[in-house]
Amino acid sequence: MIADHEKGYFTEETSAEVVSARNNSCDNVRLRNCVNILVKHIHAAVKEMEPTQDEWLKAIMFLTETGHTCNDWRQEFILLSDTMGVSMLVDAINNRKPTGASESTVLGPFHVADAPELPMGSNICLDGKGEPMMVRGRILDTSGKPISGAKIDVWQANDEGFYDVQQKGIQPDFNLRGVFRTGEDGSYCFRGVKPKFYPIPDDGPVGKLLGALGRHPYRPAHFHYILQAEGFEMLITHIFDPDDPYINSDAVFGVKKSLMAKFQLVDAPEQFAGSSFDEPFYLVEHDFVLVKE
Ligand code: BEZ
Ligand code: FE
């Protein structure tokens, strides 16, 4: 017998409505709405694609393999969300900022929560590999006032495109990571190495899918920031090298124009003599603007 709340028997035409009606007695309104929206769009997609049974099984097996590839340190579903642009869409929806505020981008899987807090100006490169780089700027509020006591958590891949956590035993622990705190003038400064483009983990089902779609797995050279200050919204973001070959085709769609900063080569001896560098280095300057809570 068809219950009162049902919309009749399931047919190709009524499929989404019939399934959604079955959820009517769910008292978690948010869950019901979200599931019904998914049902509506998935049914519409299936009607448009008209998959064969074999194709549908292939899709199921892809998702199964995606799940099997996840473990404590690898999240293949997030990678799928990243490469399909969904992570950046969720980020955009949750980080609508006023004009002039710094923009956010994806967190990525390589943040480590307990990186050491270092004196401002420290070198986060612990193995001396790569071309030296200095990064500096200020943390400001939207009226241009410096924010003191802001916490700056930075991390980057090395000159070969690997994070320390991907090369345990090869790179020192906490290589190219550090936490800094601004003083009264809101300025920050640290030393690292010029980052290089690198592939997202592409030896699993998501990498295979990208290959089948004719897409490369690379992210343009960047370094990551999490900025936090009392009374301000947290900002998760990157700085990108505008001259990177992949700057216009980031595998995870994380690039924004406002997040590019020139990597200027300081190579004239009179420029670096007397500085903390005794060799040419790259200088990256970028100010961040945080929004009040
Ligand atoms: C990263 O930049 O660390 C990253 C972001 C998304 C997927 C993989 C890596
Ligand atoms: Fe990264």
Side-chain angles (χ1 to χ4, degrees):
M1 201 180 116
I2 301 171
D4 288 347
H5 65 266
E6 297 212 352
K7 291 258 175 172
Y9 289 107
F10 187 105
T11 69
E12 193 175 324
E13 288 72 33
T14 63
S15 65
E17 291 77 23
V18 170
V19 173
S20 292
R22 186 71 62 87
N23 300 331
N24 276 351
S25 52
C26 172
D27 49 19
N28 181 336
V29 176
R30 177 70 177 158
L31 173 69
R32 189 180 67 206
N33 285 344
C34 290
V35 169
N36 287 351
I37 290 167
L38 279 175
V39 166
K40 178 169 124 190
H41 290 283
I42 292 169
H43 281 239
V46 169
K47 285 172 194 184
E48 191 175 342
M49 290 186 282
E50 298 194 332
T52 63
Q53 300 278 11
D54 266 4
E55 286 172 333
W56 191 242
L57 185 61
K58 251 193 181 165
I60 301 279
M61 293 318 292
F62 169 78
L63 293 176
T64 306
E65 205 188 331
T66 299
H68 285 162
T69 308
C70 295
N71 55 39
D72 285 350
W73 48 267
R74 178 153 178 175
Q75 230 306 348
E76 196 76 358
F77 276 112
I78 294 184
L79 211 54
L80 182 58
S81 156
D82 293 342
T83 53
M84 293 299 117
V86 182
S87 301
M88 279 305 290
L89 182 56
V90 173
D91 183 77
I93 289 166
N94 285 281
N95 290 285
R96 296 178 183 127
K97 304 268 183 205
T99 317
S102 293
E103 294 189 283
S104 61
T105 190
V106 277
L107 173 67
F110 300 121
H111 179 247
V112 166
D114 53 349
E117 186 155 343
L118 303 169
M120 200 58 89
S122 297
N123 191 352
I124 59 173
C125 176
L126 305 180
D127 61 5
K129 279 183 69 222
E131 297 174 282
M133 169 185 79
M134 178 192 269
V135 187
R136 68 184 181 203
R138 285 174 311 155
I139 315 290
L140 306 169
D141 69 14
T142 48
S143 67
K145 258 189 33 215
I147 302 176
S148 76
K151 182 179 165 197
I152 304 162
D153 188 341
V154 299
W155 67 105
Q156 66 159 112
N158 70 2
D159 62 320
E160 292 173 36
F162 292 105
Y163 289 87
D164 58 348
V165 289
Q166 294 175 290
Q167 291 193 314
K168 283 201 175 290
I170 299 174
Q171 291 187 43
D173 288 349
F174 299 118
N175 193 31
L176 296 167
R177 297 177 188 276
V179 174
F180 301 91
R181 221 169 264 276
T182 56
E184 286 297 302
D185 64 355
S187 70
Y188 74 90
C189 173
F190 64 91
R191 293 170 58 166
V193 294
K194 187 171 188 280
K196 197 180 170 216
F197 59 82
Y198 65 80
I200 58 167
D202 65 341
D203 55 346
V206 172
K208 267 190 257 168
L209 176 64
L210 290 186
L213 292 171
R215 283 171 55 178
H216 69 71
Y218 291 98
R219 298 213 67 208
H222 61 271
F223 42 90
H224 295 252
Y225 287 92
I226 298 178
L227 303 178
Q228 285 171 284
E230 223 182 295
F232 291 86
E233 287 177 7
M234 178 166 83
L235 177 68
I236 298 176
T237 197
H238 296 7
I239 289 300
F240 290 95
D241 177 358
D243 298 322
D244 188 276
Y246 295 104
I247 195 68
N248 293 321
S249 61
D250 182 3
V252 304
F253 306 97
V255 177
K256 293 178 180 175
K257 204 162 187 230
S258 69
L259 302 180
M260 295 185 204
K262 198 87 192 143
F263 285 57
Q264 308 164 61
L265 180 62
V266 178
D267 58 354
E270 64 276 14
Q271 285 179 296
F272 59 79
S275 76
S276 52
F277 291 90
D278 51 10
E279 56 184 330
F281 65 97
Y282 285 89
L283 176 63
V284 182
E285 292 178 299
H286 190 80
D287 291 345
F288 291 96
V289 177
L290 302 186
V291 179
K292 287 219 168 84
E293 257 168 2

